Amino acid sequence: FNGGVGLDVPNGMVIDNSDNVYITGYSFQGSATGSNFATIKYDPSLAFQWSKFYDGTFSSFVDDNDRARSIALDNTGNIYVTGSVDNIGEDHDITTIKYDPSGTQQWVTTYAGIGNGKDVGWGVAVNTSNEIYVVGESIESSSSSDFTTIKYSQPLAVNENFDDSSISFYPNPVTDKIYFKWDKNLKIRHIKITDLFGREVYYNKPATNSIDVSFLVKGVYFITIETSNNTSLRKFIKQ
């Protein structure tokens, strides 16, 4: 497998019940992005099926080292990879990604220790309830790293066909700002954004009809809009 213009390194491999083979690691893809997560699927005869790459928000030939270290499957064939990613304003963050069996990215989540240092995911596992466990190292309060274990629970589904004509937002996917349209007589109490694991990343009563989400890392989020007479829950993608 040749993923780019330089070094390609495998760090983990799993085989599903149908003998499909999944490998994760990293590939150097050029001076603009450095090394990126690389995840590959082969069928039982080792015929190539797909490859997926993930690049953090910080890109530099010298410092950008996005490296997947471990891979696991759940009982329905979804793929989970973890490792470390360079993001803007951070050193390295523990980053975990879920793909469905066809290779479509489902979500991305990161963990940054309060020491703002090098945080690396070294192992990932999934139990029979599809709860995810990540083990690694994190700089929490000093220059030395600590043993770190993270547990994630899968999110509840959102009804994509939910219809509330009094509230809408755009664009979706979004890169910087979300804009809202709502009935002029509607009283907005607050807007909350959570990631796929229920962690609150934004909470405010908007002063205007837009909010800035440029600070969010790429991934899937839920936005809750609470009004004087209803609560609307929607999903959006941050690019």
Side-chain angles (χ1 to χ4, degrees):
F1 175 79
N2 184 4
V5 297
L7 194 65
D8 302 304
V9 178
N11 280 326
M13 181 180 75
V14 289
I15 301 173
D16 67 17
N17 292 332
S18 299
D19 290 334
N20 295 296
V21 179
Y22 303 85
I23 298 171
T24 200
Y26 61 93
S27 292
F28 183 80
Q29 297 191 292
S31 58
T33 64
S35 63
N36 297 322
F37 275 32
T39 304
I40 311 153
K41 178 181 180 179
Y42 297 98
D43 71 12
S45 65
L46 295 184
F48 175 81
Q49 299 298 296
W50 50 255
S51 62
K52 299 296 175 180
F53 301 96
Y54 181 79
D55 183 20
T57 58
F58 181 78
S59 293
S60 166
F61 174 78
V62 177
D63 296 321
D64 185 42
N65 291 296
D66 305 327
R67 299 183 176 183
R69 308 281 186 179
S70 182
I71 186 169
L73 303 175
D74 67 18
N75 52 22
T76 57
N78 296 297
I79 305 104
Y80 303 81
V81 299
T82 195
S84 60
V85 163
D86 277 350
N87 287 316
I88 294 174
E90 303 286 344
D91 186 346
H92 290 75
D93 295 331
I94 295 174
T95 299
T96 306
I97 306 173
K98 176 183 179 179
Y99 298 101
D100 70 14
S102 65
T104 302
Q105 182 181 296
Q106 301 299 293
W107 48 254
V108 179
T109 187
T110 61
Y111 175 83
I114 60 176
N116 198 31
K118 187 175 182 179
D119 308 311
V120 180
W122 288 102
V124 61
V126 186
N127 66 16
T128 55
S129 299
N130 288 337
E131 296 171 317
I132 305 119
Y133 295 83
V134 174
V135 65
E137 59 180 295
S138 178
I139 296 179
E140 297 293 336
S141 59
S142 65
S143 59
S144 61
S145 60
D146 296 324
F147 192 98
T148 300
T149 304
I150 308 165
K151 176 182 177 180
Y152 298 114
S153 296
Q154 298 280 3
L156 296 176
V158 173
N159 183 358
E160 299 289 351
N161 297 316
F162 176 78
D163 181 29
D164 184 354
S165 58
S166 63
I167 302 174
S168 63
F169 70 91
Y170 64 95
N172 188 14
V174 59
T175 57
D176 48 15
K177 284 189 175 183
I178 294 177
Y179 296 89
F180 299 92
K181 289 183 179 180
W182 47 60
D183 188 285
K184 64 180 180 179
N185 296 319
L186 201 62
K187 183 179 179 181
I188 306 297
R189 290 180 173 170
H190 72 258
I191 293 176
K192 178 174 69 173
I193 297 176
T194 54
D195 65 15
L196 279 164
F197 304 104
R199 296 175 300 192
E200 186 178 294
V201 295
Y202 176 91
Y203 185 96
N204 207 346
K205 181 177 181 180
T208 66
N209 70 333
S210 67
I211 57 174
D212 185 0
V213 294
S214 60
F215 66 95
L216 297 176
V217 299
K218 298 175 183 178
V220 178
Y221 294 86
F222 300 104
I223 185 165
T224 302
I225 307 169
E226 183 177 333
T227 72
S228 54
N229 56 12
N230 199 3
T231 298
S232 175
L233 175 64
R234 311 289 180 87
K235 183 171 75 173
F236 72 93
I237 298 172
K238 171 64 168 59
Q239 291 184 333

